[in-house]
Every structure is written in structure tokens, then in C-alpha cells.
Amino acid sequence: MEIADMIKVVADWITGHITMWILIGVGIYLTVRTRAVQVRLFGHMVKTVGSSRQDSKGGISSFQAFTISLAARVGVGNVFGVAAALLLGGPGAIFWMWIVAAVGMSTAFVEATLAQVFKVRDADGTYRGGPAYYMHLGMKSKPLANIFAIITLLTCAFVITSVQSNAIAETMAAATPMSKWVIAAFLLAFAAPVIYGGIRSVARVTEWMAPIMALIYLVMVFIICIMNAGEIGNVLSMIFRSAFAPQPVVGGLAGGIMAAVINGVQRGLFSNEAGQGTAPNAAATATVSHPVKQGLIQSLGVFVDTIIVCTATAFVILIAGPSVWSAEGVNPSNLTALAVADKLGAWTTVPMALMIFVLAFSSIIAAYVYSDVNMAFVTKRPWATWMVRTVSVASVVIGAVAQLPLVWNAVDIAMAIMTVTNLVALVVLGQWAFGALRDYEDQRKAGVKDPVFVGVDNPHLPADVPTDVWTKSRQE
């Protein structure tokens, strides 16, 4: 057995025996403690996103922080990850992706709220925060915070960046006559200016790129679903039946309960990032009047990623039928494109390649933000910032031209470590997020249209917030 295959076995075991249960368990716990915030305040989440482009006060707006994390979420995981989940776990894997997303919305709410509560001001006037910061300031554990920051730094700056770049190169090389080196040169030309421009540069790009790319992809998928409306009921039935079926299901797709659960949870986590601890790094950069506002917005991001975009991809693949699933040479990297071409025509090959280019590129620049935030926690020396940018750009080139099965499989282990560490912190520090939520809802009940958070002498909090951000000056 090759090293990459051995790592895959280990990753699956960790997911099936550790990560999956902790992820779902903590998600249920946080859902109960927030009184199902993802259900009660869903409508308010949508309204909050609609008004989140204002009041950035010269920093990163709430909407920009949302689109940075959305850019990371809505990436190749929505195309390749869903295809992999279906091929390896059968249609039932989609049901378990939904479960991960449903409870993950509360997890995303809590981790984003904590990231805002414990954020700090950076020298350039923007904010930094995330799991490393709330582990240090909230849990008083600098060693644990450093471990998380370093793992996240390495995972985002190299592993995730190279995986996304590899996905672009494989897809573009198959759809066009360009060589991988030419594709790598294009990626370098696009990525370097944005990444070297820093977080503000990424925010400006993702602010328009993330919503547009998601909308275009959904319109294309919606057209396919409308053209095959009679198949929707059959697709839903297939998903629910195979989620609990003890036998493999139809076509070339694998099956079995554990295969469905493991692949649904694993690919769901890779796609929506709920509980993983990466998205809070973006959430913390936002300038908002209350931490809960960003928590609600980030929670909605999980819904958009999994319940909408991943489900749309799954529907297209399942509508295409066994003739596409079982075709020779089908794999996660080409299944979605083949399914689209089967329903709309071969002309979609190049547009799909361009779509995947944009999806993966947005994830690349978002991953850089996560790396930058965690490097700032480890050290604030100027050379460190430039090193992160250089490594991120170099990883784009390496990922495009190298075969990376080892990296692809290793990413699941790295994410499992990040996830478990972060989930422990969420349980320990949950009272801060629950208190912030009570404060927010009490103000709204009192008629305050735009609640303002004060971290000092707040009766809803277990103690004063140990930073100068949420003082009685009300975040000047």
C-alpha cells in the first residue's frame, strides 16, 4: 500500500471514529444552548446580510468578511467534494452532508461570534482574530493557541492552496490545449497581485467574485433541474433511501451506511468548514457593532454552501444517471462536468472549466487570509507577513504542476486536528457566545434596531472582554 493510500485509511478512521461524532455532538449541544439560533433567526440572518456592506469605518465590512469565508467555502469542495462523496458513499452521503450543515450552522455562529468577541486591532487599522486568539485570550492557553495557529498556517498556506491549484490545473488541462505550466503561469499572474496586496485586496476581490460565481453556477444548475423536473422526486427518494440502506445502491456509486456517513461528513466539513476553525479568521476581520451580527452572517454561509450549492451539484449528478456515473474514466474531478455536459451539451466543458477556475481561485486567496491571520498571532515581525504571501503564491505554482495524492489525503488529517481542537474551545468558551446572543436579543426586544455590544460590565458575559476593542466607547 502506498503512503497516500495509508494516509487515506488513517484519515477515514479518524473521521469515522472521532471527528464525525465530536462534530455532530458539539453541533447539537450548541444548537440546544443557542435555542436553535439557525432556525429562530434564519430570516434575520438574511436581512443582516442584506445590510452588511455599510459601516466598515474604513476597515473590512461585514459583507466583505462574509464573502472571504464564502469564497473559501464555495470552492472545489462543492464540485469535486460532492462528486467524491457520491462516488464513495452513494446518494445517502448527501443526506449526511445536510445533517452536518444543519447542526454546523450553530457551530459556525458560535465560532464566528467568539472570533468577534476576542478580536484585536492590528497596526493597519483592521482586525485580527479566530480560534488562536480566543484560545489564548478566552481559555488562557497560549500553547494550545500556538499549536492551532501553526497547523492552520501550514494547512492553509500550502496544503489547501496547492490542492485548489491542482484542481484548476487538472480541469483546465483536460478542457483546453494548455499545458499545466502555462496554467501555472496564469495562476501566478492572477494570484500574486491579490495576495501581495494583503487582506484588504482579497476583500475587494471576493466582495464581487464570490456572490457572482455562486449565482452563475446556481443558475446553470437550476436550468438543468427545470429541464428535468420530473426527476427531482426520484432524486430525493434516492438520497433518503440510501442514507439508511444497508446495501450498496444503484449504478457506479458506492454505498452502505458507514460509507455514506463518513463521506458525507468528511466532504461536508471540507466544503462548509463549520467547526473547522478556518472561517472565524475571516469573521474576525469585520467591523461590526455587535459580534452576533457576524455570527449570524457566517452561519448563513454554511446554509448557502451546503444546503444550496452542494445540493445543486448533487442533483445534477444524480439526474444524469448511471450512464454518467459508470462511464469509463469517471472520477471526482470530472464527474460534475460530465453530468452538466450530459444535460446541456458538450459546449459546457470549457465554461465549466472556467467556473472551476474561479471557484478554486477564490478559495486560494481566501486561504491566504487565514494564513495571514494566524501568522500575525505567531509573530508580528514584518518578514513573517511577506513569507506567508510568498509561500502561498509558490504553493499555487507547485500545486498546478505536481501530482499531489499525498497532499489531498493529508488535508483530511490536518483538518481533523484543527476541528477537534477548535470544537473543544467552542464548548469551553460557549458561555461568551451565549451571553453575547442574549445581549443582542435583549436589545432587539427593547426596540434597538442596531444593537451595540459593550464588553465591559456586561451582565450577560462571564467576565470583561480582555481587549480594548469592545470598550464603553462602543467600538470607535
Side-chain angles (χ1 to χ4, degrees):
M1 183 182 291
E2 296 182 359
I3 295 178
D5 294 329
M6 292 175 63
I7 291 178
K8 175 63 176 170
V9 171
V10 173
D12 285 345
W13 187 90
I14 292 174
T15 298
H17 292 81
I18 301 175
T19 313
M20 177 180 72
W21 301 109
I22 297 178
L23 186 69
I24 294 176
V26 171
I28 293 172
Y29 167 74
L30 296 178
T31 297
V32 172
R33 290 301 307 272
T34 60
R35 293 171 293 128
V37 64
Q38 67 269 50
V39 178
R40 291 190 302 109
L41 299 182
F42 183 81
H44 184 60
M45 289 179 187
V46 177
K47 292 179 182 177
T48 304
V49 170
S51 61
S52 62
R53 297 189 67 177
Q54 291 80 36
D55 303 324
S56 64
K57 301 179 182 179
I60 305 297
S61 73
S62 180
F63 185 76
Q64 287 176 324
F66 167 69
T67 56
I68 289 173
S69 60
L70 186 64
R73 286 184 170 123
V74 183
V76 295
N78 298 85
V79 180
F80 295 0
V82 173
L86 286 169
L87 285 172
L88 299 173
I94 304 305
F95 173 83
W96 295 106
M97 289 182 77
W98 291 341
I99 296 299
V100 168
V103 299
M105 287 179 70
S106 64
T107 306
F109 167 80
V110 170
E111 62 183 356
T113 301
L114 288 175
Q116 275 287 325
V117 169
F118 293 102
K119 69 183 181 182
V120 299
R121 281 192 179 91
D122 200 52
D124 64 358
T126 59
Y127 295 104
R128 298 291 185 273
Y133 293 81
Y134 54 69
M135 288 174 190
H136 176 215
L137 297 171
M139 296 175 66
K140 312 298 183 185
S141 178
K142 187 67 178 288
L144 183 63
N146 277 323
I147 290 172
F148 184 91
I150 292 170
I151 292 175
T152 304
L153 173 63
L154 294 174
T155 301
C156 293
F158 177 69
V159 179
I160 292 178
T161 304
S162 58
V163 164
Q164 300 286 348
S165 176
N166 186 260
I168 292 175
E170 292 287 346
T171 304
M172 295 295 289
T176 69
M178 290 191 294
S179 71
K180 289 186 177 181
W181 281 106
V182 172
I183 296 168
F186 273 109
L187 281 170
L188 179 63
F190 280 109
V194 178
I195 290 175
Y196 278 109
I199 292 180
R200 278 196 174 97
S201 174
V202 174
R204 287 192 295 269
V205 172
T206 58
E207 184 175 19
W208 59 266
M209 179 185 286
I212 290 175
M213 71 178 183
L215 182 61
I216 292 174
Y217 183 67
L218 288 174
V219 167
M220 182 176 61
V221 170
F222 181 72
I223 291 171
I224 294 175
C225 289
I226 291 297
M227 291 170 57
N228 299 271
E231 294 293 321
I232 301 299
N234 183 49
V235 167
L236 287 170
S237 175
M238 194 185 306
I239 290 172
F240 284 107
R241 280 188 291 108
S242 61
F244 304 99
Q247 299 298 323
V249 293
V250 299
L253 281 72
I257 294 176
M258 285 312 297
V261 173
I262 289 175
N263 285 282
V265 172
Q266 200 171 57
R267 293 305 123 197
L269 173 61
F270 180 75
S271 179
N272 67 46
E273 302 184 24
Q276 185 178 301
T278 47
N281 294 288
T285 64
T287 302
V288 291
S289 62
H290 201 291
V292 166
K293 290 178 67 176
Q294 199 61 33
L296 294 171
I297 288 173
Q298 298 299 136
S299 179
L300 187 65
V302 175
F303 180 87
V304 171
D305 172 86
T306 306
I307 305 300
I308 296 179
V309 183
C310 285
T311 299
T313 301
F315 271 42
V316 169
I317 293 172
L318 293 173
I319 285 172
S323 61
V324 174
W325 311 336
S326 305
E328 186 176 352
V330 166
N331 59 63
S333 67
N334 63 18
L335 176 56
T336 304
L338 289 173
V340 171
D342 180 71
K343 294 303 176 184
L344 296 182
W347 66 269
T348 59
T349 302
V350 172
M352 274 297 295
L354 292 174
M355 178 64 66
I356 290 170
F357 177 95
V358 176
L359 289 170
F361 178 77
S362 66
S363 295
I364 287 171
I365 59 178
Y368 150 70
V369 172
Y370 299 162
S371 305
D372 183 274
V373 169
N374 283 279
M375 178 59 89
F377 178 82
V378 175
T379 176
K380 293 186 179 297
R381 294 179 182 177
W383 62 263
T385 297
W386 290 101
M387 186 182 76
V388 169
R389 295 173 183 176
T390 301
V391 169
S392 296
V393 171
S395 297
V396 170
V397 177
I398 295 170
V401 299
Q403 293 295 323
L404 300 169
L406 185 63
V407 173
W408 270 97
N409 293 338
V411 72
D412 287 327
I413 295 179
M415 287 182 176
I417 295 172
M418 291 164 57
T419 302
V420 172
T421 306
N422 182 53
L423 291 174
V424 169
L426 298 188
V427 172
V428 173
L429 299 174
Q431 56 188 331
W432 289 89
F434 308 147
L437 178 58
R438 287 193 297 271
D439 178 71
Y440 184 83
E441 293 194 279
D442 282 354
Q443 289 189 54
R444 288 188 68 223
K445 288 176 183 176
V448 179
K449 193 170 183 180
D450 187 22
V452 175
F453 182 71
V454 177
V456 178
D457 296 327
N458 189 319
H460 296 293
L461 300 179
D464 290 343
V465 176
T467 72
D468 64 350
V469 174
W470 302 106
T471 63
K472 288 185 178 180
S473 61
R474 302 203 172 188
Q475 201 181 0
E476 297 177 354

